[in-house]
Amino acid sequence: DVSAPDAKASREDVIAALAGGPVRFVEWSLAQADLTRLDFHCCIFERCRGAGANFSFSDLAETRFLACDFNNARFAGASLSAARFSDCKLTGVQLDGARALGVAFARCLLVSANLRGLSFRREKLDGVDFQGADLAGVDFREAVLQCCSLREANVTGARFESADLRGADLGALRIAD
């Protein structure tokens, strides 16, 4: 564990914390932080707050996010392979262009998030709220959506072949979509 700074963390605080390799960030305030192109591989973020944080083009492979609030954060072009998000608030998050093979979400709010083109193939999604999210082109083939909401989501071009949607709230989803 690395102690959180008393105030909002700066890019320099984060770089200093990462100097020794993978870090467990507990209760860090990262609001509006510029975290672009940093190596967070195998790090853990626990109960962190980072509204508007920018993780674009960072390496977040195998990183775990536990009970964090990263609303309106940017992950454009980031590597999120095998990353895990549990009990997180990710409202309005931008994941466009992220490399996210095997990324997993459990009990997360992804309301109004941009997840265009991501793959959840063969993943189990439990308690994920995709309400109003942009899911255009998302691959849900063979996925299990348990207690998930797709209300008002844009699913144009999304793939649902062999997906288990029995536990999903489809709201006013049009079959033509």
Side-chain angles (χ1 to χ4, degrees):
D1 291 5
V2 176
S3 296
D6 293 333
K8 184 178 89 167
S10 67
R11 180 179 176 86
E12 292 72 28
D13 294 329
V14 174
I15 290 171
L18 290 168
V23 175
R24 182 182 190 103
F25 296 94
V26 179
E27 297 183 346
W28 278 56
S29 176
L30 299 164
Q32 303 299 321
D34 176 10
L35 306 171
T36 57
R37 302 187 187 282
L38 295 181
D39 184 359
F40 293 102
H41 186 260
C42 290
C43 287
I44 298 171
F45 290 87
E46 187 172 347
R47 297 184 313 276
C48 294
R49 299 177 55 87
N54 189 351
F55 288 95
S56 295
F57 303 102
S58 289
D59 182 357
L60 294 153
E62 299 182 55
T63 297
R64 293 183 6 212
F65 296 85
L66 308 168
C68 293
D69 185 348
F70 282 109
N71 67 74
N72 297 310
R74 294 213 20 93
F75 292 88
S79 173
L80 288 163
S81 298
R84 300 282 179 253
F85 293 84
S86 300
D87 303 299
C88 292
K89 294 178 183 173
L90 302 166
T91 300
V93 73
Q94 300 291 313
L95 288 162
D96 48 313
R99 296 177 311 283
L101 185 63
V103 66
F105 295 93
R107 299 167 309 281
C108 291
L109 290 176
L110 284 159
V111 174
S112 301
N114 180 349
L115 306 172
R116 281 181 165 260
L118 286 186
S119 177
F120 293 112
R121 187 169 189 181
R122 296 189 180 115
E123 293 291 333
K124 181 178 179 184
L125 300 167
D126 183 20
V128 180
D129 189 347
F130 293 110
Q131 183 173 336
D134 188 349
L135 304 174
V138 171
D139 187 352
F140 287 107
R141 290 178 293 167
E142 301 174 60
V144 177
L145 281 75
Q146 183 176 322
C147 299
C148 294
S149 174
L150 294 169
R151 285 186 168 277
E152 302 170 21
N154 173 18
V155 295
T156 303
R159 301 197 55 193
F160 288 97
E161 296 93 33
S162 299
D164 184 347
L165 301 172
R166 289 177 290 180
D169 178 358
L170 303 178
L173 200 62
R174 296 179 323 161
I175 300 299
D177 292 338

